[in-house]
Amino acid sequence: PDGGTRCDLHDTISQEDLDLLKGTHILSIDDNAVNTDYLVNLFKILGCDIAAARSGVDGIEMCKLAALREDPYEILLLDFAMPGMHGLEVAEIVSSSPTIMENNMRVIMLGSIDVHRSIAACPYVHGFTTKPIRRVPLIKMIVEQLKIKRGMLMAPPSRKPMALRDEFPTRPEERAVAFSTVSTTEHVFVPDLTAPKRPNPLSILYVEDNLINQKVIVS
């Protein structure tokens, strides 16, 4: 992001919503350095108070310390696929902590489209948007969750996970809205992130003019 970021966003996000972001306390937990740098730079430009952790363990500790300092995070941006402790585990731990959740922190998960069912079935996640990161849907998601947290907007009723083929939205903006509230299903399917890689990996050509997206996909 550069100095023109705020001006570029005015076409899609209202000034009122951009102003709402100023001073918002955000924590990003993502093991990918490119994603972390992008999010930190973007939200600093937008006036947010954003910190970052590169693992679930570090992120949980930062949440606890912030709560004890009485300066808790309002928004948690959480990567789904991380080594050691994946996003759903982190979401369950922080949501089960009365100290961390006393301020009603909103949890937004970022992940690939193929894990949307697992995320939609998790009662500890309030919103979901896909990777590679698209700033407009993500910002709109954060604004919506801030409004819910601050009592400016009622949370929509919980919904069942949608059928991917028939009902899953194709536009990024629609995906963000579709998963702004998740199901309260008790049984959560978590993919085996320790499964061995296929012996003969696919050969893939990725065509993309955006440097950030290139780095995210290649990594």
Side-chain angles (χ1 to χ4, degrees), residues 126-199:
H126 305 109
F128 168 66
T129 189
T130 56
K131 284 187 172 182
I133 298 168
R134 296 176 182 268
R135 62 180 184 177
V136 171
L138 178 58
I139 292 171
K140 287 184 175 180
M141 168 80 68
I142 291 174
V143 168
E144 180 184 73
Q145 292 302 322
L146 275 177
K147 289 180 178 179
I148 292 173
K149 179 187 180 302
R150 296 175 182 178
M152 303 166 62
L153 182 69
M154 289 188 61
S158 61
R159 61 192 301 163
K160 295 179 180 179
M162 295 182 295
L164 177 60
R165 180 180 302 174
D166 299 330
E167 301 179 52
F168 192 75
T170 56
R171 296 177 57 193
E173 296 83 357
E174 294 171 342
R175 293 176 194 166
V177 173
F179 286 95
S180 60
T181 300
V182 295
S183 169
T184 55
T185 304
E186 293 182 0
H187 301 287
V188 180
F189 166 73
V190 179
D192 183 6
L193 302 179
T194 63
K197 296 181 178 179
R198 54 173 74 227

Side-chain angles (χ1 to χ4, degrees), residues 7-218:
C7 296
D8 296 341
L9 291 172
H10 277 106
D11 293 337
T12 51
I13 301 174
S14 70
Q15 183 61 51
E16 181 182 1
D17 285 347
L18 289 175
D19 290 342
L20 189 69
L21 290 170
K22 293 179 180 178
T24 299
H25 206 186
I26 300 174
L27 175 64
S28 167
I29 305 179
D30 196 320
D31 65 298
N32 185 293
V34 174
N35 286 339
T36 298
D37 290 345
Y38 177 79
L39 290 171
V40 169
N41 290 333
L42 173 62
F43 288 104
K44 279 187 175 180
I45 288 173
L46 294 175
C48 299
D49 179 9
I50 182 168
R54 295 289 298 278
S55 72
V57 173
D58 289 344
I60 293 168
E61 188 64 23
M62 290 176 68
C63 286
K64 290 179 180 178
L65 291 175
L68 291 173
R69 292 195 305 264
E70 297 185 353
D71 187 23
Y73 296 105
E74 296 181 274
I75 299 290
L76 175 60
L77 301 178
L78 185 55
D79 182 32
F80 177 85
M82 295 185 292
M85 182 183 296
H86 59 73
L88 293 183
E89 289 180 294
V90 176
E92 181 176 4
I93 290 172
V94 299
S95 298
S96 301
S97 168
T99 301
I100 294 175
M101 295 305 291
E102 184 178 2
N103 192 49
N104 190 28
M105 180 177 67
R106 308 298 290 181
V107 179
I108 298 175
M109 189 81 72
L110 289 79
S112 58
I113 190 173
D114 59 313
V115 299
H116 81 280
R117 291 184 184 278
S118 301
I119 296 171
C122 178
Y124 310 112
V125 177
H126 305 109
F128 168 66
T129 189
T130 56
K131 284 187 172 182
I133 298 168
R134 296 176 182 268
R135 62 180 184 177
V136 171
L138 178 58
I139 292 171
K140 287 184 175 180
M141 168 80 68
I142 291 174
V143 168
E144 180 184 73
Q145 292 302 322
L146 275 177
K147 289 180 178 179
I148 292 173
K149 179 187 180 302
R150 296 175 182 178
M152 303 166 62
L153 182 69
M154 289 188 61
S158 61
R159 61 192 301 163
K160 295 179 180 179
M162 295 182 295
L164 177 60
R165 180 180 302 174
D166 299 330
E167 301 179 52
F168 192 75
T170 56
R171 296 177 57 193
E173 296 83 357
E174 294 171 342
R175 293 176 194 166
V177 173
F179 286 95
S180 60
T181 300
V182 295
S183 169
T184 55
T185 304
E186 293 182 0
H187 301 287
V188 180
F189 166 73
V190 179
D192 183 6
L193 302 179
T194 63
K197 296 181 178 179
R198 54 173 74 227
N200 297 311
L202 296 173
S203 178
I204 298 174
L205 172 64
Y206 177 60
V207 181
E208 166 67 73
D209 66 325
N210 184 289
L211 181 60
I212 293 295
N213 288 347
Q214 288 177 15
K215 290 182 178 180
V216 171
I217 291 295
V218 170

